């Protein structure tokens, strides 16, 4: 039994934490929140140089060739620091799509650049409001040309390459969906930045008008591959959420120790203590569930889809819970622009929707448990 | 990361499995598997006799109280071996419930504080189940505020050195079967409350001890009141110094939270099974989106507890001490069980009110509903557990204690407010 990270992995995590403490203080997050840049380019390049973006990418494709366990811990640190970088889009999604479904040429063309941080990739999937289903996808590819509108696309304003889910061929339902690789620098791509609840991770609307699109994976395989990759990304995202939850809890705890009211530290009042204890409970459940996800990710276990949904639901709850109560513990000061509480509140609610909403993942979890139960019977 | 045994663990597991397979009371297995909530389910014979027989058999083969030293009736096993034993014992573990308080809480306290010859006398029969112990701590005036207890111990002035006990304990599990009790008393009311306490162990058949079962809110009687009228205890049966009782009690309470919090059920697997079978508008309940959302909430708590436990086992397997994350166990399990029971009854519609053999899963959820309020109180209430997490894990200040430096006799109590 070993449901823990190795000492080497924890050392890498510590190294990333120190790097981010130095290069990504709250002021760096605010610079993106308040400024024109979609993400912190110097920070992202630094992460690439450090080798952590390519942690799970094989050396032959320009990565470091470690494992997804290391990437989980990198994600946790990115979440803790609220790093304003496109790692989720570029590494958890685009790189994973390339690794699992890309041709050798596609991998060679893009993975080294994604691993170094020189290029940014993304997954253009969603078309408007509501839970995604194959029927919601109207973007279509005909004669290797993509037309349609994808919105919101994470980091769509800065990405160099997108994996796009679109209709092609004559299949029906899930079988109608295929994946395509689109170089966003080519003609026929228009981008429009979107205002969002968390400007430290940008979104854009991408309009394709006969843009050149090359297939990624087999025709009609798009939905299946996308589900698989989004499960994997959900586990990495759970670690990001976990990092954010832990940091929000620490901020609240520190403030409760420092702030005096009625002649005592507010952390001596049971109303505050119990609120913080409940935040700790959420964060602890989320951590244990995320470790379960990490195990599934690292071993390719058959129960990965269940582990992914479990980790995702638990981490979403924990980050939202800790971020909202962090504001509550801070009282009025927590609602000022100057305090950092809102950065965590924004991020927690944005990440709760990325990759699909909480209710979507709750539904997936029970659907999958039902399937496993039926298979076992 | 893996869920595999090390070669040594696998060898130990194989040995345990072989022995259990050859020795377990297999004729009881169907009853144990059918057991409802909060009972061993044994009806075909005397449940206590069945428990004692299994414990004796384990003790004779060296499997009782695995982690205790051999000279006290244990097996000198490592913590991870104890975990493996519990996993392999499976349904038969329910037969051990009569011994949990004695072996889990009283035993470690005796081991830490009694004289050597007492340990050799008391611990082996406790390990083998031949003698049962109860814990005489809570009182009507001292529950969460345990140090507010009022049972008096006064040393006799007849030269015997004996202590004379008068007072009342409450919520004592298993007192009616117990041979021995671990008793905390007040020996000095003139000093602040934590400083005037003294711990003893006593023969539960001593003259003046009276055990009365409590009829609980759910109709069962798992707990007792214990009354003491001029009960005499030899001074040799004192644990720790006079006035050191609070410190001694912390040994017990630390062990209480460890043993109660580990591996608690939330009832989720049963709820999931029920939602596969129950129907809403002609379709399985599990396909209803609102049901799915609630189920998912319970599922991640169940899973979070399970893998929190595995993180603790990982630490044990590496020879390390588990972290503070285990303190969440009972807090999460208790509240989840109660919410889950209410939800399961809700799915049964108006028929959810019925509690008989025809109710789904043998009325398990109705039983959980009525028992779960106790889970949120016993062994440290939800509020005490939150205080512990806040203070010991997160480092927040302790409560302001207005009674800290006041002589016990001057502390206002219900019905005796300060003039």
């Amino acid at each position: 039994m070993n449901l823990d990270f190795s000492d080497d992995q924890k050392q890498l995590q510590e190294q990333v934490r120190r790097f981010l403490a130095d290069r990504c203080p709250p002021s760096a997050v605010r610079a993106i929140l308040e400024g024109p840049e979609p993400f912190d380019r110097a920070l992202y390049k630094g992460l690439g140089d450090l080798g952590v973006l390519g942690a799970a990418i094989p050396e032959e494709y320009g990565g470091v060739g470690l494992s997804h366990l290391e990437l989980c811990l990198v994600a946790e640190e990115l979440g803790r620091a609220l790093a304003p970088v496109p790692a989720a889009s570029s590494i958890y999604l685009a790189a994973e799509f390339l690794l699992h479904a890309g041709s050798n040429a596609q991998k060679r063309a893009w993975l080294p650049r994604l691993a170094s941080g020189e290029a940014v990739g993304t997954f253009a999937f969603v078309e408007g409001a509501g839970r995604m289903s194959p029927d919601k996808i109207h973007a279509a590819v005909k004669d290797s040309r993509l037309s349609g509108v994808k919105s919101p696309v994470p980091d769509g304003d800065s990405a160099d390459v997108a994996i796009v889910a679109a209709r092609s061929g004559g299949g029906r339902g899930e079988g109608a969906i295929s994946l395509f690789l689109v170089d966003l620098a080519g003609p026929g791509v228009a981008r429009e930045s979107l205002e969002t609840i968390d400007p430290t991770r940008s979104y854009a609307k991408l309009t394709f008008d006969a843009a050149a699109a090359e297939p990624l994976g087999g025709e009609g395989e798009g939905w299946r591959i996308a589900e698989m990759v989004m499960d994997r990304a959900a586990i990495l995202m759970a670690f990001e959420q976990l990092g954010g939850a832990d940091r929000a809890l620490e901020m609240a705890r520190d403030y409760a120790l420092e702030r005096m009211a009625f002649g005592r530290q507010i952390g001596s009042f049971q109303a505050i203590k119990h609120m913080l204890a409940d935040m700790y409970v959420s964060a602890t459940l989320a951590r244990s569930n995320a470790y379960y996800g990490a195990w599934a990710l690292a071993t390719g276990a058959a129960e990965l889809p269940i582990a992914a949904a479990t980790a995702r639901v638990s981490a979403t709850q924990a980050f939202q819970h800790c971020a909202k109560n962090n504001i509550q513990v801070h009282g009025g000061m927590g609602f000022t622009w100057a305090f950092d509480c809102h950065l965590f509140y924004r991020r927690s609610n944005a990440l709760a929707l990325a990759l699909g909403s909480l209710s979507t993942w709750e539904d997936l979890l029970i659907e999958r448990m039902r399937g496993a139960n039926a298979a076992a019977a | 990361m893996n869920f595999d045994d090390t070669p040594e663990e696998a060898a130990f597991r194989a040995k345990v499995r072989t022995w259990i397979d050859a020795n377990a009371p297999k004729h009881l297995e169907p009853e144990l598997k059918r057991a409802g909530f909060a009972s061993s389910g044994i009806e075909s014979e005397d449940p206590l006799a069945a428990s004692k027989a299994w414990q004796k058999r384990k003790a004779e083969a060296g499997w009782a109280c695995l982690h205790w030293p051999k000279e006290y009736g244990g097996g000198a096993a490592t913590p991870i071996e104890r975990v493996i034993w519990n996993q392999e014992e499976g349904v038969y573990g329910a037969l051990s419930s009569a011994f949990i308080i004695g072996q889990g809480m009283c035993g470690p306290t005796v081991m830490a504080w009694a004289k050597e010859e007492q340990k050799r006398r008391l611990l082996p029969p406790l390990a083998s189940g031949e003698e049962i112990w109860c814990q005489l701590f809570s009182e009507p005036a001292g529950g969460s505020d345990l140090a507010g207890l009022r049972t008096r111990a006064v040393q006799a002035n007849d030269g015997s050195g004996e202590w004379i006990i008068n007072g009342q304990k409450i919520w004592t599990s298993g007192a009616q079967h117990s041979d021995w009790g671990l008793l905390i008393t007040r020996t000095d009311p003139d000093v602040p409350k934590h400083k005037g306490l003294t711990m003893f162990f006593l023969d539960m058949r001593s003259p003046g001890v009276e055990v009365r079962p409590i009829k609980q809110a759910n109709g069962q009687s798992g707990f007792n009141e214990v009354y003491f009228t001029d009960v005499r205890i030899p001074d040799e049966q004192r644990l720790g110094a006079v006035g050191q009782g609070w410190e001694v009690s912390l040994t017990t309470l630390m062990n209480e939270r460890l043993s109660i919090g580990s591996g608690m059920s939330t009832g989720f697997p049963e709820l999931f099974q029920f939602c596969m079978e129950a129907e809403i508008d002609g379709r399985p309940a599990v396909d209803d989106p609102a049901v799915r959302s609630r189920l998912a909430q319970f599922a991640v708590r169940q899973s979070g507890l399970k893998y929190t436990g595995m993180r603790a086992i990982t630490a044990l397997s590496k020879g390390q001490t588990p972290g503070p994350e285990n303190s969440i166990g009972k807090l999460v399990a208790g509240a989840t069980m109660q919410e889950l029971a209410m939800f399961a009854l809700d799915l049964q519609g108006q028929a959810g009110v019925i509690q008989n053999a025809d109710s789904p899963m043998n009325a398990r959820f109705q039983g959980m509903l009525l028992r779960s309020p106790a889970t949120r109180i016993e062994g440290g209430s939800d509020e005490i557990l939150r205080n512990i997490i806040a203070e010991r894990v997160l480092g927040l200040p302790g409560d302001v204690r207005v009674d800290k430096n006041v002589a016990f006799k001057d502390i206002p109590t219900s019905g005796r407010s300060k003039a």
Side-chain angles (χ1 to χ4, degrees), chain B residues 214-240:
Chain B
I214 298 172
K215 186 162 185 184
Q216 296 157 199
N218 66 343
Q220 294 180 335
S221 292
F223 301 104
N224 302 278
E225 293 177 293
V226 181
Y227 290 84
F228 301 90
T229 311
D230 294 331
V231 175
R232 294 180 82 98
I233 303 180
D235 189 51
E236 300 81 69
Q237 291 180 202
R238 172 165 46 81
L239 294 173

Short mmCIF file of all heavy atoms in Angstrom, two decimals, chain B residues 214-240:
data_model
loop_
_atom_site.label_atom_id
_atom_site.label_comp_id
_atom_site.label_asym_id
_atom_site.label_seq_id
_atom_site.Cartn_x
_atom_site.Cartn_y
_atom_site.Cartn_z
N ILE B 214 -29.95 2.45 30.06
CA ILE B 214 -30.66 3.66 29.62
C ILE B 214 -31.49 3.28 28.41
O ILE B 214 -30.96 2.71 27.45
CB ILE B 214 -29.66 4.76 29.19
CG1 ILE B 214 -28.79 5.18 30.37
CG2 ILE B 214 -30.40 5.96 28.60
CD1 ILE B 214 -27.67 6.13 29.95
N LYS B 215 -32.75 3.59 28.44
CA LYS B 215 -33.54 3.41 27.22
C LYS B 215 -33.26 4.62 26.33
O LYS B 215 -33.55 5.76 26.70
CB LYS B 215 -35.02 3.27 27.53
CG LYS B 215 -35.80 2.93 26.27
CD LYS B 215 -37.17 2.37 26.55
CE LYS B 215 -37.82 1.95 25.24
NZ LYS B 215 -39.19 1.49 25.42
N GLN B 216 -32.66 4.36 25.15
CA GLN B 216 -32.23 5.44 24.27
C GLN B 216 -33.39 5.96 23.43
O GLN B 216 -34.42 5.31 23.29
CB GLN B 216 -31.15 4.93 23.31
CG GLN B 216 -29.89 4.50 24.00
CD GLN B 216 -29.07 3.52 23.18
OE1 GLN B 216 -28.24 2.85 23.72
NE2 GLN B 216 -29.33 3.45 21.87
N ALA B 217 -33.13 7.10 22.78
CA ALA B 217 -34.14 7.71 21.91
C ALA B 217 -34.57 6.77 20.78
O ALA B 217 -35.68 6.87 20.28
CB ALA B 217 -33.58 9.01 21.32
N ASN B 218 -33.68 5.85 20.37
CA ASN B 218 -34.06 4.93 19.29
C ASN B 218 -34.65 3.64 19.81
O ASN B 218 -34.85 2.70 19.06
CB ASN B 218 -32.85 4.64 18.38
CG ASN B 218 -31.75 3.87 19.08
OD1 ASN B 218 -31.71 3.82 20.31
ND2 ASN B 218 -30.86 3.30 18.31
N GLY B 219 -34.90 3.57 21.13
CA GLY B 219 -35.56 2.41 21.70
C GLY B 219 -34.61 1.32 22.15
O GLY B 219 -35.01 0.43 22.90
N GLN B 220 -33.34 1.35 21.68
CA GLN B 220 -32.38 0.35 22.10
C GLN B 220 -31.76 0.74 23.44
O GLN B 220 -31.98 1.84 23.94
CB GLN B 220 -31.28 0.19 21.04
CG GLN B 220 -31.81 -0.38 19.73
CD GLN B 220 -30.70 -0.53 18.70
OE1 GLN B 220 -29.69 0.15 18.74
NE2 GLN B 220 -30.90 -1.45 17.77
N SER B 221 -30.95 -0.18 23.99
CA SER B 221 -30.27 0.10 25.25
C SER B 221 -28.83 -0.37 25.18
O SER B 221 -28.50 -1.44 25.67
CB SER B 221 -30.99 -0.59 26.41
OG SER B 221 -32.25 0.00 26.62
N GLY B 222 -27.98 0.43 24.57
CA GLY B 222 -26.57 0.08 24.48
C GLY B 222 -25.76 0.69 25.60
O GLY B 222 -24.62 0.30 25.85
N PHE B 223 -26.34 1.68 26.25
CA PHE B 223 -25.60 2.42 27.28
C PHE B 223 -26.26 2.23 28.64
O PHE B 223 -27.42 1.82 28.73
CB PHE B 223 -25.64 3.92 26.97
CG PHE B 223 -25.05 4.29 25.66
CD1 PHE B 223 -25.87 4.63 24.58
CD2 PHE B 223 -23.68 4.33 25.48
CE1 PHE B 223 -25.32 5.00 23.36
CE2 PHE B 223 -23.13 4.71 24.26
CZ PHE B 223 -23.96 5.05 23.20
N ASN B 224 -25.52 2.59 29.68
CA ASN B 224 -26.03 2.45 31.04
C ASN B 224 -25.74 3.68 31.87
O ASN B 224 -24.84 4.46 31.57
CB ASN B 224 -25.33 1.27 31.74
CG ASN B 224 -25.54 -0.01 30.99
OD1 ASN B 224 -26.55 -0.66 31.13
ND2 ASN B 224 -24.57 -0.37 30.16
N GLU B 225 -26.48 3.77 32.97
CA GLU B 225 -26.08 4.62 34.08
C GLU B 225 -25.43 3.71 35.11
O GLU B 225 -25.85 2.57 35.26
CB GLU B 225 -27.29 5.28 34.74
CG GLU B 225 -28.00 6.28 33.84
CD GLU B 225 -29.24 6.84 34.52
OE1 GLU B 225 -30.20 6.07 34.73
OE2 GLU B 225 -29.23 8.04 34.83
N VAL B 226 -24.41 4.21 35.79
CA VAL B 226 -23.77 3.42 36.84
C VAL B 226 -23.75 4.28 38.11
O VAL B 226 -23.23 5.41 38.08
CB VAL B 226 -22.34 3.00 36.45
CG1 VAL B 226 -21.72 2.15 37.56
CG2 VAL B 226 -22.35 2.21 35.15
N TYR B 227 -24.34 3.75 39.17
CA TYR B 227 -24.40 4.49 40.44
C TYR B 227 -23.41 3.89 41.43
O TYR B 227 -23.24 2.67 41.49
CB TYR B 227 -25.82 4.40 41.03
CG TYR B 227 -26.83 5.18 40.23
CD1 TYR B 227 -27.43 4.62 39.11
CD2 TYR B 227 -27.18 6.48 40.59
CE1 TYR B 227 -28.34 5.34 38.36
CE2 TYR B 227 -28.09 7.21 39.85
CZ TYR B 227 -28.67 6.63 38.73
OH TYR B 227 -29.57 7.35 38.00
N PHE B 228 -22.77 4.76 42.20
CA PHE B 228 -21.81 4.34 43.22
C PHE B 228 -22.29 4.82 44.57
O PHE B 228 -22.48 6.02 44.77
CB PHE B 228 -20.44 4.95 42.95
CG PHE B 228 -19.87 4.56 41.61
CD1 PHE B 228 -20.12 5.33 40.49
CD2 PHE B 228 -19.12 3.41 41.47
CE1 PHE B 228 -19.62 4.98 39.25
CE2 PHE B 228 -18.61 3.04 40.23
CZ PHE B 228 -18.86 3.82 39.13
N THR B 229 -22.49 3.87 45.51
CA THR B 229 -22.89 4.23 46.86
C THR B 229 -21.89 3.61 47.84
O THR B 229 -21.86 2.39 48.01
CB THR B 229 -24.31 3.70 47.16
OG1 THR B 229 -25.17 4.10 46.08
CG2 THR B 229 -24.85 4.29 48.46
N ASP B 230 -21.04 4.45 48.39
CA ASP B 230 -20.01 4.00 49.35
C ASP B 230 -19.23 2.80 48.83
O ASP B 230 -18.97 1.84 49.55
CB ASP B 230 -20.65 3.67 50.71
CG ASP B 230 -21.22 4.92 51.38
OD1 ASP B 230 -20.67 6.02 51.13
OD2 ASP B 230 -22.22 4.80 52.12
N VAL B 231 -18.86 2.85 47.57
CA VAL B 231 -18.06 1.78 46.98
C VAL B 231 -16.61 1.95 47.43
O VAL B 231 -16.07 3.05 47.40
CB VAL B 231 -18.13 1.83 45.43
CG1 VAL B 231 -17.21 0.80 44.80
CG2 VAL B 231 -19.57 1.63 44.96
N ARG B 232 -15.97 0.89 47.88
CA ARG B 232 -14.59 0.99 48.37
C ARG B 232 -13.62 0.44 47.33
O ARG B 232 -13.82 -0.65 46.78
CB ARG B 232 -14.45 0.26 49.71
CG ARG B 232 -15.27 0.93 50.82
CD ARG B 232 -15.15 0.20 52.14
NE ARG B 232 -13.94 0.54 52.90
CZ ARG B 232 -13.90 1.43 53.89
NH1 ARG B 232 -14.98 2.08 54.26
NH2 ARG B 232 -12.76 1.68 54.52
N ILE B 233 -12.55 1.20 47.08
CA ILE B 233 -11.52 0.78 46.12
C ILE B 233 -10.17 0.83 46.83
O ILE B 233 -9.82 1.86 47.42
CB ILE B 233 -11.45 1.71 44.89
CG1 ILE B 233 -12.80 1.78 44.19
CG2 ILE B 233 -10.38 1.26 43.91
CD1 ILE B 233 -12.79 2.69 42.95
N PRO B 234 -9.39 -0.27 46.78
CA PRO B 234 -8.05 -0.24 47.40
C PRO B 234 -7.17 0.82 46.73
O PRO B 234 -7.28 1.04 45.51
CB PRO B 234 -7.49 -1.64 47.14
CG PRO B 234 -8.66 -2.48 46.75
CD PRO B 234 -9.68 -1.57 46.16
N ASP B 235 -6.30 1.42 47.50
CA ASP B 235 -5.43 2.47 46.96
C ASP B 235 -4.50 1.93 45.86
O ASP B 235 -4.08 2.66 44.98
CB ASP B 235 -4.61 3.10 48.09
CG ASP B 235 -3.84 4.33 47.62
OD1 ASP B 235 -4.47 5.22 47.01
OD2 ASP B 235 -2.61 4.39 47.81
N GLU B 236 -4.21 0.61 45.92
CA GLU B 236 -3.34 0.03 44.87
C GLU B 236 -4.00 0.13 43.50
O GLU B 236 -3.34 -0.03 42.49
CB GLU B 236 -3.05 -1.47 45.14
CG GLU B 236 -2.35 -1.79 46.45
CD GLU B 236 -3.33 -1.82 47.61
OE1 GLU B 236 -4.17 -2.74 47.66
OE2 GLU B 236 -3.28 -0.90 48.45
N GLN B 237 -5.32 0.32 43.48
CA GLN B 237 -6.00 0.39 42.19
C GLN B 237 -6.11 1.82 41.66
O GLN B 237 -6.91 2.11 40.75
CB GLN B 237 -7.38 -0.27 42.30
CG GLN B 237 -7.23 -1.76 42.49
CD GLN B 237 -8.54 -2.50 42.61
OE1 GLN B 237 -8.55 -3.60 43.17
NE2 GLN B 237 -9.63 -1.94 42.13
N ARG B 238 -5.32 2.70 42.21
CA ARG B 238 -5.23 4.06 41.70
C ARG B 238 -4.25 4.06 40.53
O ARG B 238 -3.19 3.43 40.60
CB ARG B 238 -4.76 4.99 42.81
CG ARG B 238 -4.45 6.40 42.39
CD ARG B 238 -4.35 7.35 43.60
NE ARG B 238 -3.55 6.81 44.69
CZ ARG B 238 -2.21 6.84 44.72
NH1 ARG B 238 -1.54 7.36 43.72
NH2 ARG B 238 -1.57 6.32 45.76
N LEU B 239 -4.58 4.76 39.43
CA LEU B 239 -3.68 4.89 38.27
C LEU B 239 -3.16 6.32 38.24
O LEU B 239 -3.93 7.26 38.12
CB LEU B 239 -4.41 4.56 36.97
CG LEU B 239 -4.88 3.11 36.80
CD1 LEU B 239 -5.74 2.97 35.54
CD2 LEU B 239 -3.70 2.15 36.74
N GLY B 240 -1.85 6.46 38.38
CA GLY B 240 -1.27 7.79 38.45
C GLY B 240 -1.42 8.35 39.86
O GLY B 240 -2.03 7.73 40.73
#
